[in-house]
Amino acid sequence: MQTLQSVASTRFGALDAPPAARYRLLRPLAGFPATGTLIRVALAHQAPFVWLQSAEEPAVAFAAAPADLLREGYRVELPPWDHGLWSAARGSETLVLLSFKGAPSANLAAPVLLDPSRRVALQVLNPAGGWGVSEPLERPRPPC
Amino acid sequence: MLILSRRKGESLKLGDDVEITVLRTAGGQVSLGITAPRTLSVLRGELAAAVLAQNQAAALGAPSDAELGALSGTFRPAPG
């Protein structure tokens, strides 16, 4: 039986979050020490984008996108200090946080990994690819 | 803030496990060698600050539902 958890959200009102949508952060997001759990909110009319709503801070919600949607071949290398924290599981998801403050941008340097099997999440600093924290939000160009 | 002066080849110990050695100084830059357990994160200060600032910008600058909905059409994979 699924236990719905009601989460207050400034953006969505009262969210009924099933266990499958709740991800415990293995380490707080930088700047948000009070957030321990993210609720993954996927709305059909906004696909492929999703929201990561803080379970503890109603006003904190991040728009996010699958990393490989923005940059073809995007890959994550775990920094050595995260090897003990994270092991990639089948079905893991790599999301990047979007900002619309100024020109829309994506933080490809610090993606958020979601593991649906353990229902945990971790923001990592990705040394692979030399990506920046504020990359233009654009669709990958089709190969010539 | 504790302020210490070090010369090339000299080091600092932080606790039992961390040692920072001055390797080179040239042109206003200092090269440091850091010996630390692999479980300890070692980041350039400006990178940690940039991630924090960008997380806050992402929360404060989150798009409206309409903005994200409009953008989703651009990013939705074309039907195959």
Side-chain angles (χ1 to χ4, degrees), chain B residues 18-51:
Chain B
V18 179
E19 183 165 16
I20 301 170
T21 306
V22 178
L23 300 177
R24 193 171 58 242
T25 59
Q29 278 199 322
V30 181
S31 297
L32 302 172
I34 300 164
T35 307
R38 288 175 65 83
T39 51
L40 191 75
S41 64
V42 179
L43 299 174
R44 289 181 172 86
E46 65 273 20
L47 178 59
V51 170

mmCIF file of all heavy atoms in Angstrom, chain B residues 18-51:
data_model
loop_
_atom_site.group_PDB
_atom_site.id
_atom_site.type_symbol
_atom_site.label_atom_id
_atom_site.label_comp_id
_atom_site.label_asym_id
_atom_site.label_seq_id
_atom_site.Cartn_x
_atom_site.Cartn_y
_atom_site.Cartn_z
ATOM 1 N N VAL B 18 45.011 15.496 6.987
ATOM 2 C CA VAL B 18 45.104 16.439 5.869
ATOM 3 C C VAL B 18 46.410 17.231 5.957
ATOM 4 O O VAL B 18 46.732 17.782 7.013
ATOM 5 C CB VAL B 18 43.907 17.410 5.865
ATOM 6 C CG1 VAL B 18 44.014 18.401 4.705
ATOM 7 C CG2 VAL B 18 42.598 16.640 5.787
ATOM 8 N N GLU B 19 47.122 17.245 4.843
ATOM 9 C CA GLU B 19 48.350 18.032 4.790
ATOM 10 C C GLU B 19 48.347 18.854 3.508
ATOM 11 O O GLU B 19 48.053 18.348 2.425
ATOM 12 C CB GLU B 19 49.584 17.119 4.823
ATOM 13 C CG GLU B 19 50.878 17.918 4.847
ATOM 14 C CD GLU B 19 52.089 17.080 5.242
ATOM 15 O OE1 GLU B 19 51.994 15.839 5.204
ATOM 16 O OE2 GLU B 19 53.119 17.675 5.591
ATOM 17 N N ILE B 20 48.652 20.137 3.650
ATOM 18 C CA ILE B 20 48.704 21.048 2.508
ATOM 19 C C ILE B 20 50.116 21.584 2.398
ATOM 20 O O ILE B 20 50.650 22.147 3.368
ATOM 21 C CB ILE B 20 47.699 22.209 2.687
ATOM 22 C CG1 ILE B 20 46.279 21.659 2.842
ATOM 23 C CG2 ILE B 20 47.766 23.182 1.515
ATOM 24 C CD1 ILE B 20 45.260 22.689 3.249
ATOM 25 N N THR B 21 50.711 21.371 1.246
ATOM 26 C CA THR B 21 52.108 21.754 1.048
ATOM 27 C C THR B 21 52.203 22.827 -0.028
ATOM 28 O O THR B 21 51.537 22.726 -1.070
ATOM 29 C CB THR B 21 52.937 20.521 0.601
ATOM 30 O OG1 THR B 21 52.744 19.484 1.551
ATOM 31 C CG2 THR B 21 54.426 20.859 0.518
ATOM 32 N N VAL B 22 52.997 23.845 0.219
ATOM 33 C CA VAL B 22 53.242 24.871 -0.802
ATOM 34 C C VAL B 22 54.266 24.302 -1.780
ATOM 35 O O VAL B 22 55.406 24.000 -1.402
ATOM 36 C CB VAL B 22 53.778 26.174 -0.163
ATOM 37 C CG1 VAL B 22 54.075 27.207 -1.248
ATOM 38 C CG2 VAL B 22 52.780 26.711 0.842
ATOM 39 N N LEU B 23 53.862 24.129 -3.034
ATOM 40 C CA LEU B 23 54.745 23.536 -4.034
ATOM 41 C C LEU B 23 55.498 24.598 -4.817
ATOM 42 O O LEU B 23 56.669 24.427 -5.151
ATOM 43 C CB LEU B 23 53.937 22.682 -5.016
ATOM 44 C CG LEU B 23 53.158 21.509 -4.403
ATOM 45 C CD1 LEU B 23 52.358 20.793 -5.481
ATOM 46 C CD2 LEU B 23 54.104 20.545 -3.720
ATOM 47 N N ARG B 24 54.794 25.682 -5.133
ATOM 48 C CA ARG B 24 55.419 26.682 -6.009
ATOM 49 C C ARG B 24 54.707 28.004 -5.826
ATOM 50 O O ARG B 24 53.494 28.039 -5.590
ATOM 51 C CB ARG B 24 55.275 26.207 -7.465
ATOM 52 C CG ARG B 24 56.105 26.941 -8.480
ATOM 53 C CD ARG B 24 56.073 26.259 -9.857
ATOM 54 N NE ARG B 24 54.731 26.130 -10.397
ATOM 55 C CZ ARG B 24 54.129 24.977 -10.662
ATOM 56 N NH1 ARG B 24 54.744 23.840 -10.426
ATOM 57 N NH2 ARG B 24 52.919 24.951 -11.157
ATOM 58 N N THR B 25 55.430 29.065 -5.941
ATOM 59 C CA THR B 25 54.796 30.383 -5.992
ATOM 60 C C THR B 25 55.397 31.120 -7.185
ATOM 61 O O THR B 25 56.617 31.138 -7.356
ATOM 62 C CB THR B 25 55.063 31.214 -4.713
ATOM 63 O OG1 THR B 25 56.466 31.373 -4.572
ATOM 64 C CG2 THR B 25 54.488 30.556 -3.479
ATOM 65 N N ALA B 26 54.532 31.646 -8.011
ATOM 66 C CA ALA B 26 55.024 32.374 -9.191
ATOM 67 C C ALA B 26 53.910 33.241 -9.739
ATOM 68 O O ALA B 26 52.755 32.802 -9.803
ATOM 69 C CB ALA B 26 55.494 31.390 -10.271
ATOM 70 N N GLY B 27 54.248 34.430 -10.116
ATOM 71 C CA GLY B 27 53.287 35.316 -10.790
ATOM 72 C C GLY B 27 52.018 35.546 -10.003
ATOM 73 O O GLY B 27 50.930 35.586 -10.572
ATOM 74 N N GLY B 28 52.134 35.653 -8.701
ATOM 75 C CA GLY B 28 50.955 35.916 -7.882
ATOM 76 C C GLY B 28 50.101 34.692 -7.627
ATOM 77 O O GLY B 28 49.016 34.793 -7.055
ATOM 78 N N GLN B 29 50.575 33.514 -8.080
ATOM 79 C CA GLN B 29 49.824 32.275 -7.855
ATOM 80 C C GLN B 29 50.600 31.359 -6.923
ATOM 81 O O GLN B 29 51.840 31.358 -6.917
ATOM 82 C CB GLN B 29 49.612 31.531 -9.168
ATOM 83 C CG GLN B 29 48.443 32.065 -9.982
ATOM 84 C CD GLN B 29 47.975 31.056 -11.002
ATOM 85 O OE1 GLN B 29 48.785 30.362 -11.588
ATOM 86 N NE2 GLN B 29 46.676 30.989 -11.221
ATOM 87 N N VAL B 30 49.865 30.587 -6.168
ATOM 88 C CA VAL B 30 50.463 29.603 -5.277
ATOM 89 C C VAL B 30 49.962 28.226 -5.691
ATOM 90 O O VAL B 30 48.754 28.022 -5.840
ATOM 91 C CB VAL B 30 50.047 29.869 -3.806
ATOM 92 C CG1 VAL B 30 50.699 28.864 -2.881
ATOM 93 C CG2 VAL B 30 50.388 31.289 -3.402
ATOM 94 N N SER B 31 50.854 27.297 -5.928
ATOM 95 C CA SER B 31 50.446 25.917 -6.208
ATOM 96 C C SER B 31 50.525 25.125 -4.915
ATOM 97 O O SER B 31 51.563 25.138 -4.232
ATOM 98 C CB SER B 31 51.370 25.275 -7.243
ATOM 99 O OG SER B 31 51.271 25.970 -8.461
ATOM 100 N N LEU B 32 49.430 24.460 -4.595
ATOM 101 C CA LEU B 32 49.355 23.713 -3.341
ATOM 102 C C LEU B 32 49.211 22.230 -3.633
ATOM 103 O O LEU B 32 48.481 21.829 -4.545
ATOM 104 C CB LEU B 32 48.137 24.177 -2.525
ATOM 105 C CG LEU B 32 48.086 25.661 -2.167
ATOM 106 C CD1 LEU B 32 46.741 26.002 -1.526
ATOM 107 C CD2 LEU B 32 49.226 26.022 -1.215
ATOM 108 N N GLY B 33 49.884 21.430 -2.866
ATOM 109 C CA GLY B 33 49.678 19.984 -2.919
ATOM 110 C C GLY B 33 48.853 19.589 -1.699
ATOM 111 O O GLY B 33 49.160 20.011 -0.580
ATOM 112 N N ILE B 34 47.799 18.833 -1.936
ATOM 113 C CA ILE B 34 46.889 18.487 -0.836
ATOM 114 C C ILE B 34 46.841 16.974 -0.674
ATOM 115 O O ILE B 34 46.544 16.250 -1.632
ATOM 116 C CB ILE B 34 45.469 19.031 -1.109
ATOM 117 C CG1 ILE B 34 45.532 20.559 -1.235
ATOM 118 C CG2 ILE B 34 44.496 18.624 -0.002
ATOM 119 C CD1 ILE B 34 44.323 21.182 -1.875
ATOM 120 N N THR B 35 47.166 16.529 0.502
ATOM 121 C CA THR B 35 47.030 15.113 0.822
ATOM 122 C C THR B 35 45.868 14.981 1.792
ATOM 123 O O THR B 35 45.891 15.583 2.872
ATOM 124 C CB THR B 35 48.322 14.571 1.483
ATOM 125 O OG1 THR B 35 49.420 14.894 0.628
ATOM 126 C CG2 THR B 35 48.250 13.077 1.691
ATOM 127 N N ALA B 36 44.842 14.249 1.364
ATOM 128 C CA ALA B 36 43.637 14.144 2.196
ATOM 129 C C ALA B 36 42.949 12.824 1.902
ATOM 130 O O ALA B 36 43.134 12.252 0.818
ATOM 131 C CB ALA B 36 42.679 15.304 1.889
ATOM 132 N N PRO B 37 42.145 12.325 2.819
ATOM 133 C CA PRO B 37 41.381 11.093 2.540
ATOM 134 C C PRO B 37 40.469 11.308 1.341
ATOM 135 O O PRO B 37 39.978 12.422 1.117
ATOM 136 C CB PRO B 37 40.551 10.881 3.811
ATOM 137 C CG PRO B 37 41.187 11.714 4.853
ATOM 138 C CD PRO B 37 41.867 12.838 4.160
ATOM 139 N N ARG B 38 40.244 10.237 0.571
ATOM 140 C CA ARG B 38 39.415 10.373 -0.640
ATOM 141 C C ARG B 38 37.981 10.754 -0.301
ATOM 142 O O ARG B 38 37.251 11.250 -1.144
ATOM 143 C CB ARG B 38 39.429 9.045 -1.418
ATOM 144 C CG ARG B 38 40.757 8.783 -2.097
ATOM 145 C CD ARG B 38 40.764 7.412 -2.732
ATOM 146 N NE ARG B 38 39.793 7.292 -3.821
ATOM 147 C CZ ARG B 38 40.012 7.689 -5.062
ATOM 148 N NH1 ARG B 38 41.153 8.251 -5.376
ATOM 149 N NH2 ARG B 38 39.095 7.526 -5.985
ATOM 150 N N THR B 39 37.580 10.498 0.922
ATOM 151 C CA THR B 39 36.199 10.814 1.302
ATOM 152 C C THR B 39 35.993 12.297 1.590
ATOM 153 O O THR B 39 34.861 12.744 1.773
ATOM 154 C CB THR B 39 35.805 10.022 2.565
ATOM 155 O OG1 THR B 39 36.810 10.237 3.546
ATOM 156 C CG2 THR B 39 35.684 8.540 2.277
ATOM 157 N N LEU B 40 37.086 13.047 1.640
ATOM 158 C CA LEU B 40 36.974 14.479 1.970
ATOM 159 C C LEU B 40 36.906 15.283 0.680
ATOM 160 O O LEU B 40 37.751 15.129 -0.203
ATOM 161 C CB LEU B 40 38.195 14.897 2.789
ATOM 162 C CG LEU B 40 38.106 16.269 3.430
ATOM 163 C CD1 LEU B 40 37.169 16.243 4.630
ATOM 164 C CD2 LEU B 40 39.486 16.713 3.883
ATOM 165 N N SER B 41 35.896 16.123 0.556
ATOM 166 C CA SER B 41 35.787 16.923 -0.659
ATOM 167 C C SER B 41 36.769 18.087 -0.595
ATOM 168 O O SER B 41 36.895 18.748 0.429
ATOM 169 C CB SER B 41 34.362 17.435 -0.853
ATOM 170 O OG SER B 41 34.007 18.305 0.175
ATOM 171 N N VAL B 42 37.470 18.271 -1.706
ATOM 172 C CA VAL B 42 38.418 19.387 -1.817
ATOM 173 C C VAL B 42 37.992 20.198 -3.035
ATOM 174 O O VAL B 42 38.040 19.707 -4.161
ATOM 175 C CB VAL B 42 39.867 18.876 -1.998
ATOM 176 C CG1 VAL B 42 40.836 20.043 -2.136
ATOM 177 C CG2 VAL B 42 40.267 17.982 -0.838
ATOM 178 N N LEU B 43 37.517 21.389 -2.806
ATOM 179 C CA LEU B 43 36.975 22.202 -3.897
ATOM 180 C C LEU B 43 37.636 23.561 -3.933
ATOM 181 O O LEU B 43 38.002 24.107 -2.884
ATOM 182 C CB LEU B 43 35.473 22.436 -3.691
ATOM 183 C CG LEU B 43 34.567 21.226 -3.652
ATOM 184 C CD1 LEU B 43 33.162 21.664 -3.307
ATOM 185 C CD2 LEU B 43 34.586 20.528 -4.989
ATOM 186 N N ARG B 44 37.779 24.087 -5.125
ATOM 187 C CA ARG B 44 38.150 25.499 -5.217
ATOM 188 C C ARG B 44 37.007 26.317 -4.606
ATOM 189 O O ARG B 44 35.837 26.024 -4.859
ATOM 190 C CB ARG B 44 38.336 25.893 -6.682
ATOM 191 C CG ARG B 44 39.574 25.290 -7.321
ATOM 192 C CD ARG B 44 39.699 25.744 -8.759
ATOM 193 N NE ARG B 44 40.965 25.336 -9.325
ATOM 194 C CZ ARG B 44 41.197 24.157 -9.881
ATOM 195 N NH1 ARG B 44 40.221 23.274 -9.968
ATOM 196 N NH2 ARG B 44 42.382 23.846 -10.365
ATOM 197 N N GLY B 45 37.371 27.308 -3.817
ATOM 198 C CA GLY B 45 36.358 28.095 -3.129
ATOM 199 C C GLY B 45 35.361 28.723 -4.078
ATOM 200 O O GLY B 45 34.154 28.755 -3.820
ATOM 201 N N GLU B 46 35.863 29.197 -5.229
ATOM 202 C CA GLU B 46 34.959 29.893 -6.153
ATOM 203 C C GLU B 46 33.968 28.926 -6.797
ATOM 204 O O GLU B 46 32.847 29.302 -7.137
ATOM 205 C CB GLU B 46 35.734 30.681 -7.217
ATOM 206 C CG GLU B 46 36.555 29.873 -8.188
ATOM 207 C CD GLU B 46 37.964 29.574 -7.689
ATOM 208 O OE1 GLU B 46 38.207 29.654 -6.484
ATOM 209 O OE2 GLU B 46 38.816 29.236 -8.531
ATOM 210 N N LEU B 47 34.357 27.644 -6.942
ATOM 211 C CA LEU B 47 33.432 26.674 -7.525
ATOM 212 C C LEU B 47 32.307 26.360 -6.540
ATOM 213 O O LEU B 47 31.121 26.338 -6.910
ATOM 214 C CB LEU B 47 34.170 25.389 -7.922
ATOM 215 C CG LEU B 47 33.297 24.281 -8.491
ATOM 216 C CD1 LEU B 47 32.546 24.732 -9.738
ATOM 217 C CD2 LEU B 47 34.117 23.035 -8.798
ATOM 218 N N ALA B 48 32.668 26.142 -5.288
ATOM 219 C CA ALA B 48 31.647 25.882 -4.272
ATOM 220 C C ALA B 48 30.682 27.069 -4.181
ATOM 221 O O ALA B 48 29.461 26.892 -4.097
ATOM 222 C CB ALA B 48 32.318 25.625 -2.923
ATOM 223 N N ALA B 49 31.236 28.279 -4.246
ATOM 224 C CA ALA B 49 30.384 29.476 -4.161
ATOM 225 C C ALA B 49 29.488 29.590 -5.390
ATOM 226 O O ALA B 49 28.326 29.997 -5.293
ATOM 227 C CB ALA B 49 31.260 30.722 -4.022
ATOM 228 N N ALA B 50 30.017 29.214 -6.557
ATOM 229 C CA ALA B 50 29.233 29.321 -7.793
ATOM 230 C C ALA B 50 28.064 28.341 -7.774
ATOM 231 O O ALA B 50 26.957 28.677 -8.202
ATOM 232 C CB ALA B 50 30.121 29.057 -9.010
ATOM 233 N N VAL B 51 28.291 27.137 -7.270
ATOM 234 C CA VAL B 51 27.207 26.147 -7.210
ATOM 235 C C VAL B 51 26.133 26.615 -6.242
ATOM 236 O O VAL B 51 24.934 26.540 -6.534
ATOM 237 C CB VAL B 51 27.756 24.757 -6.802
ATOM 238 C CG1 VAL B 51 26.611 23.792 -6.509
ATOM 239 C CG2 VAL B 51 28.644 24.205 -7.906
#
